[in-house]
Amino acid sequence: MNITKTALITGIAGQDGPYLAELLLEKGYHVHGLVRRSSSGNTQRIDHLCSALESSGGQIRLHHGDLTEGLALRELVLDVKPDEIYNLAAQSHVQISFDKPVYTASVNAIGALNVLEAARQLDKLKPTRICQACSSEMFGDAIETAQNEQTPFRPRSPYGCSKVFAFHQTVNYRDAHDLFAVNAILFNHESPRRGETFVTRKITRAAARIKLGLQDKLSLGNLDAKRDWGFAGDYVEGMWQMLQHDQPEDFVLATGIAHTIRQFLDFAFGYLDLDWTEHVETDPKYLRASEANLLRGDASKAKQILGWEASTNCRELAELMVDHDLELSRTESVTVQPTT
């Protein structure tokens, strides 16, 4: 007889959380999600899941809290007793981390430590497995052109530094406390659920609005930065596979192909038969104090051991996002005046 597993997802209302929740629900999990109190009115990404399951016994349940509240988090974990914990919650915007470095470290570094400590306490009572979502930004000014699990970390932002702390604490808890704890080193992954302040979504949102005459210009920063962009739905599958593996190991999840922001503009605007050079302006206020200019992942370990590989390329991703934003833009009032 199959035994239903229970999972706890922190940051369930973000970009990745809904994709992971959908995946786990399809596999028969009971899903608990932690939502930051200030996000309590911003759960539209998961409202469809909660509504659809209201009449079926409720296999998903939301809890309001904060990673920085260690005691409350520990009480929640001991109450829910999850078989698997996915720590997706973070202040994940690199530029904001320069403006709010202390807050970023509090959530991403100390918050991750609070999750690990809660998992350690639960593990004394029953086995639990934890996946810590890390970032390619940890590599920063990388000394290798394709970064893998052995590449040294050289972060170039407070965000990257905070994720390095979380990474090493996860390894420490695995080694010191024999906890099944793994790091998913996620390269840039996007989707129609990406927040509109992130560069890919800014681009696809603007392209759609420009196509419909609702906007004329788009302001961006460094157009030459290169990133390894994949689809968030693929990456949550990889995180789940990591926790099904026999041994706790860290894995890079990436497409292995990097594109500049200029190329992403080509994909998004070109899909709509638009010339982005007629609409895009560079603005110094969007330039970062320091930037990791080339991040490209080597996910060969994940492919060899887990059988995982990205199934969506960057052009397909951009077109998927543009299609979504076209529909969104069509719902806007026709009386909206073009803006910059």
Side-chain angles (χ1 to χ4, degrees):
M1 182 179 68
N2 292 331
I3 299 175
T4 300
K5 288 185 178 180
T6 298
L8 172 64
I9 304 172
T10 71
I12 195 172
Q15 173 189 238
D16 297 352
Y19 288 109
L20 179 58
E22 289 165 355
L23 174 69
L24 296 179
L25 289 169
E26 289 173 1
K27 295 181 180 297
Y29 281 64
H30 287 294
V31 175
H32 292 258
L34 183 67
V35 180
R36 186 163 47 92
R37 289 191 182 93
S38 60
S39 298
S40 58
N42 188 31
T43 58
Q44 64 267 27
R45 294 188 182 101
I46 52 173
D47 285 344
H48 68 290
L49 295 174
C50 300
S51 300
L53 290 164
E54 277 183 0
S55 60
S56 62
Q59 288 179 269
I60 184 168
R61 181 181 174 191
L62 301 184
H63 308 266
H64 292 103
D66 197 298
L67 290 193
T68 61
E69 299 172 350
L71 180 58
L73 181 61
R74 190 182 316 166
E75 291 175 349
L76 173 62
V77 168
L78 292 175
D79 178 50
V80 172
K81 295 181 175 60
D83 300 286
E84 298 171 3
I85 301 173
Y86 298 86
N87 185 28
L88 309 185
Q91 191 300 98
S92 58
H93 200 290
V94 176
Q95 182 58 50
I96 290 176
S97 78
F98 284 100
D99 300 329
K100 298 184 176 181
V102 175
Y103 173 73
T104 299
S106 178
V107 175
N108 298 0
I110 302 305
L113 182 58
N114 285 335
V115 174
L116 287 163
E117 182 58 21
R120 183 178 75 88
Q121 296 299 327
L122 175 60
D123 200 59
K124 296 177 181 179
L125 306 176
K126 60 162 287 186
T128 189
R129 299 185 173 196
I130 177 171
C131 179
Q132 168 64 40
C134 288
S135 169
S136 59
E137 291 290 333
M138 299 189 302
F139 297 119
D141 186 20
I143 62 174
E144 299 173 346
T145 56
Q147 298 90 44
N148 60 32
E149 294 81 4
Q150 305 305 316
T151 303
F153 298 141
R154 302 179 67 185
R156 298 276 287 168
S157 67
Y159 171 75
C161 292
S162 69
K163 286 296 188 176
V164 170
F165 179 94
F167 176 94
H168 284 302
Q169 287 291 359
T170 301
V171 173
N172 182 59
Y173 268 70
R174 181 170 69 220
D175 294 342
H177 304 298
D178 198 29
L179 185 66
F180 195 110
V182 302
N183 288 293
I185 306 174
L186 308 172
F187 277 68
N188 291 65
H189 49 289
E190 317 295 318
S191 76
R193 292 168 175 165
R194 179 55 111 175
E196 294 185 15
T197 60
F198 290 81
V199 65
T200 53
R201 188 73 194 289
K202 283 180 68 174
I203 290 171
T204 60
R205 188 81 169 96
R209 298 187 83 249
I210 289 169
K211 182 66 174 180
L212 297 180
L214 300 174
Q215 183 174 330
D216 183 52
K217 297 294 183 181
L218 168 64
S219 296
L220 296 174
N222 179 13
L223 303 185
D224 296 315
K226 297 185 74 172
R227 292 294 183 270
D228 184 332
W229 281 300
F231 174 51
D234 292 338
Y235 288 58
V236 300
E237 175 80 29
M239 286 190 277
W240 176 79
Q241 288 179 257
M242 290 171 63
L243 291 192
Q244 314 316 305
H245 187 45
D246 292 338
Q247 300 295 326
E249 298 185 49
D250 305 322
F251 291 91
V252 163
L253 301 181
T255 71
I257 302 174
H259 295 85
T260 64
I261 292 175
R262 294 178 188 275
Q263 289 174 302
F264 196 93
L265 284 162
D266 284 337
F267 296 151
F269 278 73
Y271 184 52
L272 298 176
D273 297 319
L274 295 172
D275 181 353
W276 65 265
T277 63
E278 297 178 358
H279 303 279
V280 175
E281 303 171 335
T282 56
D283 189 329
K285 75 178 181 180
Y286 293 115
L287 297 175
R288 296 171 181 172
S290 57
E291 174 114 54
N293 285 318
L294 172 57
L295 294 175
R296 178 169 69 87
D298 174 5
S300 56
K301 178 183 175 182
K303 182 176 181 179
Q304 178 183 358
I305 295 177
L306 303 177
W308 180 91
E309 58 182 330
S311 64
T312 307
N313 65 40
C314 189
R315 181 186 294 275
E316 293 168 338
L317 173 64
E319 293 175 358
L320 175 70
M321 293 172 67
V322 168
D323 282 337
H324 171 273
D325 285 333
L326 269 177
E327 290 302 311
L328 182 63
S329 296
R330 288 190 180 108
T331 66
E332 295 185 58
S333 170
V334 294
T335 61
V336 172
Q337 298 297 314
T339 66
T340 59

